[in-house]
Amino acid sequence: MSINKAKEILKDVFGYPHFRPTQQKVIEAVLQKKDCLVLMPTGGGKSICFQIPALVLPGVTVVVSPLIALMKDQVEALKLNGVEAEFLNSSLTDTQQAEIIKRTVDGEVKLLYVSPEKMNSESFYYILQQCTVSLIAIDEAHCISSWGHDFRPDYKKLGYLKKQFMGVPIMALTATADPLTQDDIVVQLKLDKPIIFKDSFSRPNIFIEVQPAYKRKEAILSFIQQRGEESGILYCLSKKNTEDLSRFLRSNGVASGYYHAGMDPLIRNRVQNDFINDRIKVICATIAFGMGIDKSNVRWVIHHNLPKNIEGYYQEIGRSGRDGMPAHALLFYGVQDYNVLLGFNDQSERKVILNARLDRMMHFAQSNHCRRKLLLNYFGEWTQNDCGACDNCKGQPALFDGTVLAQKALSAVARLQGKLPGELLPQIMTGNKTPEVMAGKFNAIKTFGAGADVSIDDWQRIVNQLVSLGYIKVEYQLGSILALTPLSQKVLFDSERVMLHRLDEKIKRAKKPAPKKRLASTTFRQETGLFERLRQLRRTMAVAQGVPPYILFSDATLTEMVQQRPTNEREMKEISGVGNTKWERYGQAFVNEIKAFEGRF
Ligand code: ADP
Ligand code: MG
Ligand code: ZN
């Protein structure tokens, strides 16, 4: 069975001109009936690794998938490409299931998606005995590991497959497995001398940015407003946060909804569907939201709060930009969240480890180094290269409007004019009742604790900056007592804006004017009205089909249409993501829209 056949299918059925490098190697191995473990980042294109062999090989490929939503998404996408794919799960009636089983036994179904429970059931085993099984794919294989956060006991039982389906290759796939989990997968599935394919977990299309948790709401709103119709996920720490933020966004005209574990499942599902189908733009969610979301056109992820650890954070930001188009991850961090999370850990037996992971997360947030470098090193991909696509690499991270913070600090200085030693100002701002503070009765002033939402370390950095920028004078000869300056008067009484850097080191370079407002990395698509028109057309047609828009054509495919302006069948089929079936069903409508846009009608 040749790789050429596979390439033909890639082009004709999926509409893609070439394999990504690892995809081709995996497919070659499977066609030689080798077991494989495939480690690729989210959006790396794992599905193609088993979907193409399924179409090349005779018989049926069985795919084990942990969630109904994931099965549905993949099966719908395959069907739109004209592939005979089905799933069996509790969302179907018995009659529907019987029908699919019959077609599978008759050899009509090429890909059959099932839950691990189904795969482990005796009745299903007997059904498969009547079929030619060409390949078994275990998607999201990290669910096998009890150490991971998505552990599914039924995955553990899949170890029986290797023995019962002799000679059938098994492929395990995942985007989240540290070395321990990788070994666990191989051992538990009893893979036979598996070939391990490992791509970098790097997601270079995601711009990574971190900001202190200061005026978050306003910052989030302006971030979203700059991004037109782009979909995004706003992760929050608490259920209440999700509801509050969603309400806030709605009141500012942003179509948003909230999602958390405490909701009626029916309503929760409706919100999820509204998001997937582009009926709402923003979903404010706890981390309960995510697994099972294959929506490829999530253009940004914001963390309203500090995540518990880097694994979770990386997985969450990984939900953006699955289509490979530019995406943006923005994290807000603050010491308050850190303290709340420390509190959660307090009850756990694994407190020490949990706290260490939380600290690592905080270090990441506070770091001045290339963010991606830190992330990849965390995952054991030792790298020294700066990525060029994060806030620190761009060197424009942290000028933020610190006027209110400055006013609080200056007002404390004013109240304690002539008495306040510099090193105590951060203590006073955060409301720390240290012996020195108490001795000076500094806790009696009105601004004591007025800046408790900012960490003491950040207050130290802020105070340092206020000093260097001339807003506070240090009377060194008087024991470093703080005093106001002519500049501080402007801030206190004329509301002059104070722009601050959050890191000490950058203060020295703070002479330059505030950087220009960063343009959304994706705005180039909005420069042309054509993208919007195609997006609208995609939506209308997707609604008519009852599928999410991104399944019909990805943002990447639309963008290529905007760039190439195909106006006939040949040109349209050159677009990545337009296979034969999609051309037949939707191609002409898109060609017409492009022609209309260009005024050729
Ligand atoms: P994963 O399961 O690894 O997260 P998917 O299989 O869902 O990733 O694929 C992510 C995206 O990449 C999908 O939109 C898919 O159609 C696209 N894709 C996969 N392989 C190719 C390829 N060879 N060329 C172009 N696009 C591809
Ligand atoms: Mg996948
Ligand atoms: Zn970087």
Side-chain angles (χ1 to χ4, degrees):
M1 235 79 60
S2 76
I3 192 73
N4 289 337
K5 179 88 192 295
K7 284 182 184 161
E8 243 169 65
I9 292 175
L10 183 73
K11 181 82 186 79
D12 293 346
V13 177
F14 294 90
Y16 297 139
H18 7 252
F19 284 118
R20 293 174 181 160
T22 311
Q23 284 176 333
Q24 172 153 347
K25 288 185 210 140
V26 175
I27 291 168
E28 280 167 345
V30 175
L31 295 181
Q32 290 165 27
K33 301 211 159 198
K34 298 269 198 329
D35 285 352
C36 322
L37 172 60
V38 179
L39 305 158
M40 276 187 199
T42 308
K46 289 184 287 297
S47 328
I48 290 280
C49 295
F50 55 82
Q51 288 170 345
I52 297 251
L55 298 181
V56 174
L57 297 167
V60 63
T61 288
V62 184
V63 185
V64 178
S65 175
L67 288 175
I68 292 179
L70 283 177
M71 298 186 205
K72 191 160 171 277
D73 201 83
Q74 293 205 18
V75 168
E76 276 173 351
L78 286 165
K79 283 184 169 172
L80 282 197
N81 280 323
V83 175
E84 295 289 344
E86 297 292 350
F87 56 74
L88 288 176
N89 61 42
S90 56
S91 72
L92 301 178
T93 63
D94 288 350
T95 328
Q96 286 171 318
Q97 298 208 32
E99 170 66 19
I100 289 166
I101 288 167
K102 179 174 181 304
R103 289 182 42 231
T104 307
V105 173
D106 289 348
E108 287 170 23
V109 174
K110 293 304 294 175
L111 282 126
L112 184 62
Y113 285 72
V114 297
S115 64
E117 293 80 358
K118 187 90 188 174
M119 193 72 196
N120 292 331
S121 76
E122 213 168 317
S123 58
F124 188 63
Y125 174 72
Y126 287 113
I127 292 164
L128 289 183
Q129 289 303 303
Q130 303 166 54
C131 308
T132 310
V133 178
S134 55
L135 167 66
I136 298 173
I138 319 283
D139 206 2
E140 312 291 346
H142 61 279
C143 292
I144 212 163
S145 161
S146 53
W147 185 245
H149 43 275
D150 295 326
F151 176 53
R152 286 282 295 267
D154 280 286
Y155 261 74
K156 267 198 183 297
K157 299 184 193 149
L158 295 169
Y160 89 99
L161 291 172
K162 194 67 224 172
K163 218 154 117 203
Q164 296 301 326
F165 292 88
M166 286 250 282
V168 177
I170 294 186
M171 178 189 294
L173 309 100
T174 176
T176 33
D178 56 19
L180 215 70
T181 309
Q182 293 168 23
D183 290 345
D184 213 14
I185 294 170
V186 169
V187 170
Q188 301 220 37
L189 288 177
K190 305 192 170 62
L191 298 186
D192 177 21
K193 295 190 230 72
I195 310 187
I196 298 178
F197 296 94
K198 190 170 176 187
D199 268 1
S200 165
F201 281 134
S202 180
R203 301 282 310 281
N205 60 318
I206 303 177
F207 187 94
I208 304 172
E209 180 178 5
V210 183
Q211 286 184 15
Y214 171 68
K215 290 210 172 188
R216 271 178 283 196
K217 272 184 162 177
E218 290 78 3
I220 289 169
L221 181 62
S222 107
F223 179 98
I224 292 172
Q225 285 172 336
Q226 281 176 49
R227 281 169 174 73
E229 290 306 308
E230 296 182 355
S231 300
I233 306 172
L234 176 52
Y235 277 111
C236 309
L237 190 57
S238 72
K239 296 171 188 167
K240 189 172 169 298
N241 274 164
T242 67
E243 298 184 12
D244 289 350
L245 281 159
S246 178
R247 205 171 306 123
F248 168 73
L249 291 176
R250 274 181 179 275
S251 70
N252 282 284
V254 178
S256 79
Y258 60 88
Y259 181 108
H260 57 68
M263 293 160 71
D264 176 344
L266 283 177
I267 297 177
R268 207 171 57 191
N269 263 339
R270 199 183 64 214
V271 175
Q272 176 170 328
N273 281 328
D274 284 348
F275 180 66
I276 285 172
N277 289 288
D278 292 346
R279 288 190 290 269
I280 56 174
K281 192 164 83 173
V282 178
I283 190 157
C284 305
T286 60
I287 54 170
F289 179 78
M291 169 115 130
I293 308 302
D294 260 358
K295 180 176 164 72
S296 73
N297 62 335
V298 175
R299 296 264 67 88
W300 53 262
V301 169
I302 296 178
H303 282 86
H304 179 262
N305 305 90
L306 190 74
K308 286 200 291 252
N309 56 51
I310 289 180
E311 269 98 345
Y313 167 71
Y314 199 62
Q315 205 167 47
E316 283 140 26
I317 68 169
R319 296 192 173 119
S320 66
R322 293 181 79 109
D323 53 13
M325 300 294 293
H328 197 122
L330 172 58
L331 160 71
F332 290 95
Y333 77 98
V335 77
Q336 244 183 354
D337 296 339
Y338 176 78
N339 288 336
V340 169
L341 292 168
L342 278 181
F344 289 170
N345 293 348
D346 248 355
Q347 283 103 46
S348 170
E349 292 163 13
R350 289 157 60 188
K351 179 176 162 179
V352 175
I353 288 189
L354 296 178
N355 283 349
R357 297 172 104 196
L358 175 59
D359 280 341
R360 194 81 189 257
M361 184 70 225
M362 193 63 169
H363 295 161
F364 166 82
Q366 293 179 317
S367 175
N368 202 14
H369 296 284
C370 169
R371 309 270 182 201
R372 208 174 314 269
K373 185 161 77 178
L374 300 183
L375 291 170
L376 293 178
N377 281 308
Y378 182 86
F379 288 109
E381 266 180 51
W382 312 114
T383 172
Q384 293 187 301
N385 298 332
D386 287 350
C387 77
C390 70
D391 52 1
N392 286 338
C393 280
K394 290 278 184 208
Q396 54 180 10
L399 265 196
F400 70 101
D401 185 343
T403 310
V404 175
L405 294 172
Q407 285 168 340
K408 287 177 181 171
L410 294 180
S411 134
V413 175
R415 283 165 207 276
L416 299 171
Q417 183 88 294
K419 289 196 288 192
L420 174 62
E423 71 273 14
L424 293 190
L425 185 47
Q427 312 276 6
I428 291 168
M429 287 292 102
T430 50
N432 245 357
K433 294 186 177 163
T434 61
E436 295 89 322
V437 168
M438 301 308 278
K441 296 203 175 68
F442 297 140
N443 58 322
I445 64 165
K446 206 173 138 221
T447 33
F448 184 74
D453 51 339
V454 173
S455 75
I456 195 152
D457 288 346
D458 279 347
W459 267 115
Q460 190 58 60
R461 294 183 180 110
I462 292 163
V463 171
N464 292 342
Q465 293 183 65
L466 292 173
V467 170
S468 346
L469 294 171
Y471 295 110
I472 297 179
K473 184 160 82 178
V474 185
E475 311 273 25
Y476 291 105
Q477 71 284 18
L478 303 175
S480 297
I481 295 291
L482 301 184
L484 297 183
T485 72
L487 295 183
S488 32
Q489 307 293 336
K490 294 189 186 179
V491 177
L492 281 173
F493 305 113
D494 305 325
S495 302
E496 187 177 276
R497 279 208 325 157
V498 179
M499 299 305 290
L500 295 176
H501 264 300
R502 74 188 151 79
L503 289 175
D504 224 356
E505 197 184 282
K506 289 187 177 135
I507 298 164
K508 299 176 192 103
R509 290 184 256 131
K511 286 271 153 51
K512 353 175 216 185
K516 275 179 254 141
K517 216 176 210 168
R518 186 168 40 252
L519 282 176
S521 44
T522 44
T523 34
F524 72 94
R525 282 193 278 105
Q526 289 153 5
E527 279 162 23
T528 161
L530 181 55
F531 186 86
E532 276 317 313
R533 286 178 68 160
L534 297 183
R535 185 213 292 275
Q536 196 48 48
L537 176 63
R538 170 177 75 175
R539 230 194 110 183
T540 314
M541 299 188 86
V543 169
Q545 285 282 314
V547 297
Y550 66 91
I551 285 187
L552 207 146
F553 286 130
S554 70
D555 277 12
T557 299
L558 291 195
T559 303
E560 207 178 313
M561 287 184 196
V562 169
Q563 286 159 354
Q564 304 298 330
R565 312 268 168 120
T567 51
N568 57 43
E569 175 176 352
R570 186 185 52 75
E571 287 171 6
M572 191 52 112
K573 281 187 176 169
E574 288 291 301
I575 301 291
S576 179
V578 185
N580 291 345
T581 306
K582 282 194 181 160
W583 160 254
E584 280 155 27
R585 293 188 193 166
Y586 316 109
Q588 195 59 49
F590 280 80
V591 161
N592 292 347
E593 191 68 25
I594 291 167
K595 282 187 179 166
F597 182 79
E598 297 199 322
R600 292 194 193 170
F601 270 2

